[in-house]
């Protein structure tokens, strides 16, 4: 079994054209969610969740971000106006958090990613039995 690191590191990342850049504080070992909702499955988005306070958008990035919502309009799917990449967004499951796209993290700081499935097609039923809401509270990153 892989032993998870609990020390917090700063991960940097962003979109393809590099106009949207950010930094996020999280452990080097994260739990990433593979969601099968209509949006995530079409984009192939796999993400880990951090508290909003642990995410910092770099200066100037705001002018290149636009947002898409659907359904309940709770999730804010942000993406770069130039290249179209969603490198982060505000998830419905964690309105107090930020979902960071694993593939958009710069190489070198993520040491281990545990992949879990989230049944977004049956969102309400799955959410009731999931621990995903705890991941924006700051302690679940290191949960075994």
């Amino acid at each position: 079994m892989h032993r998870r690191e609990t020390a917090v590191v700063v991960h940097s990342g962003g979109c393809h054209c590099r106009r949207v850049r950010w930094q996020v504080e999280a452990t080097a070992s994260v739990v990433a969610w593979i969601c099968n909702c209509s949006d995530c499955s079409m984009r192939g988005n796999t993400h880990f969740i951090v508290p909003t306070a642990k995410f910092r958008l770099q200066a100037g990035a705001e002018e290149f971000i636009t947002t898409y919502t659907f359904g309940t309009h709770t999730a804010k799917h942000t993406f770069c106006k130039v290249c179209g990449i969603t490198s982060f967004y505000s998830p419905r499951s964690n309105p107090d958090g930020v979902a960071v796209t694993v593939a958009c993290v710069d190489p070198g700081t993520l040491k281990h990613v545990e992949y879990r499935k989230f049944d977004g097609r049956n969102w309400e039923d799955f959410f009731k039995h999931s621990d995903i809401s705890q991941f924006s509270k700051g302690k679940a990153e290191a949960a075994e």
Side-chain angles (χ1 to χ4, degrees):
M1 177 188 248
H2 181 80
R3 184 179 172 156
R4 294 189 196 186
E5 298 176 34
T6 57
V8 172
V9 297
V10 176
H11 304 284
S12 295
C15 68
H16 187 261
C17 71
R18 301 183 66 81
R19 287 178 173 87
V20 175
R21 297 290 297 162
W22 41 257
Q23 291 187 325
V24 62
E25 295 175 33
T27 57
S29 205
V30 298
V31 173
W33 297 90
I34 302 167
C35 180
N36 68 354
C37 78
S38 58
D39 189 70
C40 287
S41 62
M42 284 183 160
R43 290 186 295 113
N45 188 26
T46 301
H47 53 273
F48 63 96
I49 299 170
V50 297
T52 302
K54 301 293 184 183
F55 181 87
R56 288 180 305 283
L57 199 56
Q58 289 188 354
E62 296 90 359
E63 72 178 281
F64 296 104
I65 294 173
T66 192
T67 304
Y68 171 70
T69 66
F70 67 97
T72 65
H73 303 284
T74 305
K76 306 298 183 218
H77 297 276
T78 53
F79 59 96
C80 176
K81 294 178 190 179
V82 178
C83 67
I85 298 296
T86 298
S87 61
F88 73 95
Y89 74 99
S90 301
R92 177 180 175 196
S93 61
N94 299 71
D96 57 346
V98 175
V100 176
T101 303
V102 172
C104 293
V105 176
D106 294 343
T109 55
L110 281 177
K111 303 298 182 203
H112 176 76
V113 180
E114 175 188 331
Y115 294 94
R116 295 187 187 175
K117 294 188 178 193
F118 187 90
D119 187 3
R121 290 185 182 151
N122 300 294
W123 199 95
E124 286 78 10
D125 289 335
F126 190 84
F127 182 77
K128 282 189 269 187
H129 305 289
S130 168
D131 64 344
I132 195 169
S133 65
Q134 297 306 304
F135 285 77
S136 53
K137 307 300 184 237
K139 298 186 193 274
E141 302 96 356
E144 291 283 338

